[in-house]
Amino acid sequence: MGNRFQVTDRFADGAQYIGGRLRPGTSGEEHSVVDPATGESVYTYALASTDDVDAAVAAAADAFPAWAAATPGERSDALHRFAGVLAEQAEEFAYAESLQCGKPIKLSTEFDVPGTVDNTAFFAGAARHLQGQSAGEYSGDHTSYVRREPIGVVGSIAPWNYPLQMAAWKILPAIAAGNTIVLKPAEITPLTSLMFAQAATAAGIPDGVVNIVTGAGRTAGEHLVGHPDVAMTSFTGSTPVGKRVAEIATSTVKRLHLELGGKAPFVVFDDADLEAAAHGAVAASLINSGQDCTAATRAYVQRPLFDAFVARVAELMETVRLGDPFSPSTDLGPLISHAQRDRVAAFVERARGYATVVTGGEAPGGDLKHGAYYRPTLITGAAQDSEVVQSEIFGPVLVALPFDGDDDGIRLANDTPYGLAASAWTRDVFRAGRATREIKAGCVWVNDHIPIISEMPHGGYKASGFGKDMSAYSFEEYTQVKHVMYDNTAVAAKDWHRTIFGDR
């Protein structure tokens, strides 16, 4: 695709997608999308105002009755067409995602884009399976059944680390269930969210079903969450911002789904395959430059394997190739911004006062000095209550700590406020079973760490939020459950009425 993708030309009409067309924002403020590999601006646009949010919500509200009334088969057909359009435009999506995020093109091409196409195809099928509980005569005199109905207009906020996939995770279950949606992507990475909405229109999904407002969180985001015509909010992002979203949403008594931060433990028992664990730790800690809420961040390694694990992980990290995101040989791209790179570096610099940086711990120079790059970093010697163990760094940093007995390993794995993801590495089926039962996280992998699939739910425990993305479980967030009850007796004066008035 290369230079054939011209951002300014593609979005010349603006970065708001409302009622099936692009339009400029009306806030009077401009924002630039910056290529984090070079520090250069690639697109400047007008941010959304609260008026733009109102217009998007109105478009979604207007589209809701007809879309909600469409049959499951009709919505399914539209989503199948949508998946086809995305597949046809896969190369363009991959280029745009790497351009705005700095992702290596092999990650965008082999993970972000095909995962999104698969997600769309999954929800095309799932749209036909929104049944409630089957009918039954539970009182003896009545027939009961359960309906699942769409909620209305959904107002969602997506993060900058996986802009395309997060747009899909928010939009697809919402519209498959018959809702309409207004999505606010991160203002630093709006390109693929806008393209996703355009692809929905190209697939024949009616105008107003999918809308995008690109604005600042404090204005457009908070106005969307608090909007009286928005019936449900889904937010993915940091736990502190999630708390603010919850405050606004609960003040208007709307449905809320939160997918928040993580500090995933990577627990290696002493019978594990050391080579598999080391390779898994490097891949799981460095995916998306570590900017992944499920990334492995805390490696707890049983003491007999600890030294060998640290040595092998350091050796493998030193082979990782930093470079141009559009080179097929690049393993690790830049962080999302220089500000984020500096934030990660500050964590590491503070850790030097109480821990050991085994490898990495610096930004590269040379040809990469203008980008937001940071070398893969391994830290040992940190205390369990230290900042690098407890706080979400969101960069290519792995902290390794030893443990002794199994009880100790599982206790340490659970010893943070977060509970999004975890992994256990062992050849012992009983150890694996215990870890999957006792580690408090929404996903626990055994002898792997990171893979996700459309058919299975994604969401957290504790400070990592509540509710699920992907899978049929996501419909719990995006549907109302209604009990319908029919009288079967045709008796006017029912026996239970006598408990209220009259005598038997």
Side-chain angles (χ1 to χ4, degrees):
M1 176 58 59
N3 292 329
R4 295 199 302 275
F5 181 76
Q6 298 296 328
V7 181
T8 301
D9 292 344
R10 177 66 179 266
F11 302 112
D13 292 331
Q16 318 303 324
Y17 196 78
I18 300 172
R21 57 196 54 82
L22 288 170
R23 52 191 263 185
T26 62
S27 69
E29 299 179 40
E30 289 194 335
H31 189 83
S32 290
V33 177
V34 175
D35 177 356
T38 64
E40 297 176 355
S41 172
V42 297
Y43 176 58
T44 300
Y45 66 94
L47 288 166
S49 67
T50 56
D51 289 343
D52 297 320
V53 174
D54 290 343
V57 172
D62 288 346
F64 174 71
W67 184 247
T71 67
E74 289 168 339
R75 292 199 293 267
S76 176
D77 288 347
L79 285 163
H80 277 299
R81 295 193 301 271
F82 191 8
V85 172
L86 294 172
E88 291 170 0
Q89 298 178 8
E91 188 179 16
E92 189 175 29
F93 271 97
Y95 182 87
E97 194 76 336
S98 288
L99 180 65
Q100 67 181 355
C101 298
K103 295 174 188 283
I105 194 66
K106 66 179 180 179
L107 182 65
S108 294
T109 301
E110 299 178 29
F111 182 71
D112 295 72
V113 175
T116 300
V117 174
D118 183 74
N119 229 236
T120 309
F122 169 80
F123 279 105
R128 290 179 177 264
H129 299 282
L130 279 163
Q131 300 93 338
Q133 192 172 357
S134 59
E137 285 69 49
Y138 298 98
S139 78
D141 292 336
H142 306 83
T143 295
S144 289
Y145 71 89
V146 171
R147 291 176 53 86
R148 284 195 178 273
E149 297 178 350
I151 297 172
V153 176
V154 175
S156 292
I157 300 177
W160 49 256
N161 58 334
Y162 289 102
L164 176 60
Q165 290 203 78
M166 294 300 99
W169 287 16
K170 301 302 182 196
I171 291 169
L172 293 171
I175 67 173
N179 303 286
T180 56
I181 188 167
V182 179
L183 174 75
K184 193 199 88 66
E187 59 267 37
I188 59 176
T189 55
L191 304 182
T192 47
S193 298
L194 293 165
M195 293 167 64
F196 194 74
Q198 289 177 313
T201 299
I205 292 174
D207 293 349
V209 172
V210 178
N211 306 274
I212 308 292
V213 289
T214 310
R218 290 285 185 182
T219 52
E222 292 197 1
H223 190 64
L224 177 62
V225 172
H227 200 289
D229 294 331
V230 168
M232 182 261 182
T233 287
S234 177
F235 170 81
T236 296
S238 71
T239 297
V241 178
K243 291 178 180 178
R244 174 61 179 158
V245 169
E247 289 173 359
I248 299 169
T250 53
S251 70
T252 57
V253 199
K254 52 171 55 79
R255 185 82 67 91
L256 181 62
H257 165 219
L258 298 175
E259 199 265 87
L260 306 177
K263 192 70 178 175
F266 186 101
V267 184
V268 183
F269 294 96
D270 59 9
D271 67 327
D273 182 327
L274 178 63
E275 191 69 5
H279 278 82
V282 173
S285 63
L286 300 185
I287 185 171
N288 202 35
S289 297
Q291 299 167 130
D292 186 314
C293 48
T294 63
T297 60
R298 299 178 290 140
Y300 295 105
V301 185
Q302 203 152 13
R303 205 170 293 276
L305 290 186
F306 183 76
D307 290 343
F309 176 87
V310 168
R312 185 60 175 139
V313 168
E315 182 180 37
L316 289 171
M317 280 187 168
E318 288 163 7
T319 70
V320 172
R321 298 164 296 185
L322 283 69
D324 176 5
F326 296 101
S327 169
S329 64
T330 292
D331 297 321
L332 193 73
L335 281 86
I336 191 66
S337 67
H338 288 80
Q340 179 66 12
R341 191 270 313 275
D342 294 345
R343 178 181 179 276
V344 170
F347 271 102
V348 176
E349 290 309 305
R350 290 191 295 270
R352 291 184 193 277
Y354 56 80
T356 299
V357 177
V358 178
T359 189
E362 64 181 3
D367 293 342
L368 303 181
K369 65 181 179 181
H370 297 297
Y373 291 88
Y374 198 76
R375 294 195 185 281
T377 300
L378 177 63
I379 295 174
T380 60
Q384 175 65 16
D385 62 356
S386 63
E387 180 186 51
V388 289
V389 175
Q390 293 293 324
S391 299
E392 189 173 34
I393 299 172
F394 229 55
V397 179
L398 177 65
V399 184
L401 302 92
F403 72 90
D404 293 305
D406 290 16
D407 291 351
D408 191 36
I410 291 174
R411 177 185 64 80
L412 291 168
N414 286 328
D415 185 28
T416 71
Y418 300 105
L420 186 59
S423 62
W425 298 74
T426 176
R427 292 183 174 97
D428 186 322
V429 66
F430 297 104
R431 268 179 160 169
R434 180 186 178 189
T436 60
R437 291 190 303 272
E438 297 187 13
I439 293 176
K440 305 303 180 186
C443 175
V444 181
W445 293 282
V446 177
N447 295 327
D448 209 342
H449 190 119
I450 283 298
I452 54 175
I453 49 175
S454 298
E455 292 84 358
M456 290 291 113
H458 178 85
Y461 286 28
K462 303 190 293 185
S464 292
F466 47 82
K468 300 299 178 184
D469 288 309
M470 299 198 298
S471 82
Y473 289 96
S474 65
F475 287 136
E476 301 298 328
E477 318 305 326
Y478 295 98
T479 55
Q480 297 274 20
V481 173
K482 177 185 287 183
H483 171 215
V484 178
M485 194 176 211
Y486 285 91
D487 170 58
N488 294 331
T489 66
V491 173
K494 294 178 170 57
D495 187 57
W496 77 265
H497 292 172
R498 305 286 72 78
T499 65
I500 313 301
F501 70 97
D503 299 315
R504 284 190 171 83

